[in-house]
Amino acid sequence: MPDRPPVFDDREDTVLTEVVDALVESERALAELEAARVAQFAAAMRVALRRSEHRPRAVQEREMALRSIAAEIGVALRWNDRTVQRRLGEALQLVDDFPATLQALSDGRISARHAAAIRDVGTELVDPTVRAAFENRVIARAASDTAAGTRAFARALVEELHPTSVTERFEQAERQRRVWIDDDVDGMARLGVIDGTAKIRAMYDRLTQQARAIRAVARPETATDDSDPDAVRDRRTIDQVRADLLCDLVLTGAPTIDPTIDTLPGGLGAIRAQVSVVVPALTAAGASDRGASIDGLSPIDAGTARRLLAGSSAWDRLVTHPITGSVLAVDRYRPSPALQRFVRARDMHCRFPGCRQPARRCDLDHNRDHARGGPTARCNLACLRLSHESAGDRACLMLVYA
């Protein structure tokens, strides 16, 4: 006997509507308060700058006024004085360089996180006219997108408006690549690395693939079934596995212990990093240096994009809209595998609101259930992370609501 659909009480829908309306109003009020606080922090920063104008040229003497004001505010708010110093500088920057963003925050059209994304990304644009145009376009996007989506859009827009090509900036930034260590508490430390986006994302992708392969063959340590004494028991989180693998790879060149050797051809050493690289035709041909990106999130320099292009065994051609950039067609449109490539190239990440999981790690799910007549077509398919598939109908409703 088929399962009956759940019966919902109309009164519950009324309660949910009231809750959503109240939350929207709360968000607007919080944004207005945050804008007022930004203005207050900026005013305090101006006082600190005026007090330091006639100080001696020694750095410590000039910073004394700022430190004193930050300490006074920190004591009053129970904040760390270093945090207050950072907020003072960010507030003055938002007031002076991003007035339209501050106004949108005061009006409740965007949240504090949206404003921070616009400020952080937009600082690369020095020309006030260009920066103002950047602001207006990103604010319009932020009014209907998440903070993470707004930040990704802002980064892409900066690449479009920046007077210097990403190739030139990459050549300068690449000289700053380094590895460093910071000591932490309890006998721990942090190892950091700055390098090209393509390499860093590929490193993280390979670690993630290896960690998932280990978890796929390992049994939780809490398992009570002892029928297989040789079974691997592992209660580490995926973050812990990634950290252990990185240490193994750096110290030994390959994981010392590989529990996948009997189930995965070639073991963990056979896993290769994967990144989705989009290279415009003009950039690939050497006629332009703009537009290349990884996973639809991180811009990369044209030189790296061309090297990846030359070393790849196969590429898919995408025909995109000249203005919006949306995918219109791909090679080998049929059969089914081509349709999957099309949808993944179009979505780039999980379509659930707020999720930025790359499309290659998502499943293709029907917006309208196939069992209820939904076609297997590009207009009815979306990339959804496994944990969001069960909420597919709700995700569609949320997208419509937004």
Side-chain angles (χ1 to χ4, degrees), residues 6 34 38 47 122 170 205 225 249 263 307 324 385 402:
E34 181 62 26
V38 167
V47 172
F170 176 78
D205 180 84
D225 183 10
L249 289 168
T263 60
R307 285 195 297 272
T324 64
R385 191 176 181 178

Side-chain angles (χ1 to χ4, degrees), residues 179 191 193 203 206-207 210 242-256:
V179 175
L191 182 69
V193 55
M203 288 163 57
R206 187 171 188 236
L207 288 172
Q210 292 179 338
R242 267 193 294 249
D244 294 342
L245 283 168
L246 178 61
C247 292
D248 265 351
L249 289 168
V250 172
L251 294 175
T252 68
T256 305

Side-chain angles (χ1 to χ4, degrees), residues 69-302:
I69 290 175
E72 183 175 352
I73 295 175
V75 170
L77 299 181
R78 300 184 300 277
W79 286 16
N80 182 279
D81 60 331
R82 294 290 184 182
T83 300
V84 175
Q85 288 186 43
R86 176 177 56 81
R87 290 295 300 270
L88 290 171
E90 292 174 349
L92 186 62
Q93 185 180 43
L94 191 61
V95 170
D96 288 350
D97 297 340
F98 299 91
T101 301
L102 182 61
Q103 186 60 50
L105 180 64
S106 180
D107 295 340
R109 289 183 287 148
I110 63 175
S111 69
R113 291 182 297 119
H114 289 91
I118 296 173
R119 182 200 64 235
D120 293 344
V121 179
T123 52
E124 294 188 35
L125 301 174
V126 179
D127 189 321
T129 303
V130 175
R131 191 167 56 234
F134 162 84
E135 263 193 291
N136 292 331
R137 291 176 63 179
V138 180
I139 289 172
R141 176 63 174 260
S144 60
D145 202 351
T146 64
T150 299
R151 186 178 291 272
F153 176 78
R155 285 174 178 166
L157 187 57
V158 163
E159 293 304 318
E160 176 185 330
L161 299 176
H162 205 291
T164 307
S165 72
V166 67
T167 298
E168 296 176 79
R169 284 180 281 128
F170 176 78
E171 290 175 354
Q172 297 177 1
E174 192 181 27
R175 301 189 186 100
Q176 307 301 319
R177 64 186 184 277
R178 64 190 180 98
V179 175
W180 72 94
I181 187 171
D182 290 327
D183 291 325
D184 204 343
V185 297
D186 301 328
M188 304 294 285
R190 295 184 180 91
L191 182 69
V193 55
I194 291 182
D195 211 316
T197 296
K199 287 189 285 185
I200 295 297
R201 283 195 170 273
M203 288 163 57
Y204 186 81
D205 180 84
R206 187 171 188 236
L207 288 172
T208 299
Q209 288 189 66
Q210 292 179 338
R212 287 175 174 165
I214 288 176
R215 288 167 62 85
V217 300
R219 292 177 52 196
E221 194 171 284
T222 55
T224 57
D225 183 10
D226 296 328
S227 58
D228 184 3
D230 296 326
V232 179
R233 291 173 175 81
D234 197 337
R235 64 177 181 182
R236 294 176 296 173
T237 66
I238 192 167
D239 284 331
Q240 292 169 342
V241 176
R242 267 193 294 249
D244 294 342
L245 283 168
L246 178 61
C247 292
D248 265 351
L249 289 168
V250 172
L251 294 175
T252 68
T256 305
I257 301 175
D258 186 352
T260 70
I261 196 66
D262 295 326
T263 60
L264 186 66
L268 296 177
I271 293 177
R272 294 294 178 264
Q274 296 179 0
V275 290
S276 299
V277 184
V278 178
V279 187
L282 292 179
T283 299
S288 173
D289 285 341
R290 293 183 179 273
S293 65
I294 289 182
D295 290 337
L297 300 173
S298 304
I300 60 173
D301 66 291

Side-chain angles (χ1 to χ4, degrees), residues 20-33:
V20 171
D21 291 342
L23 288 173
V24 170
E25 179 59 26
S26 298
E27 188 74 6
R28 186 204 61 77
L30 288 172
E32 184 177 350
L33 289 173

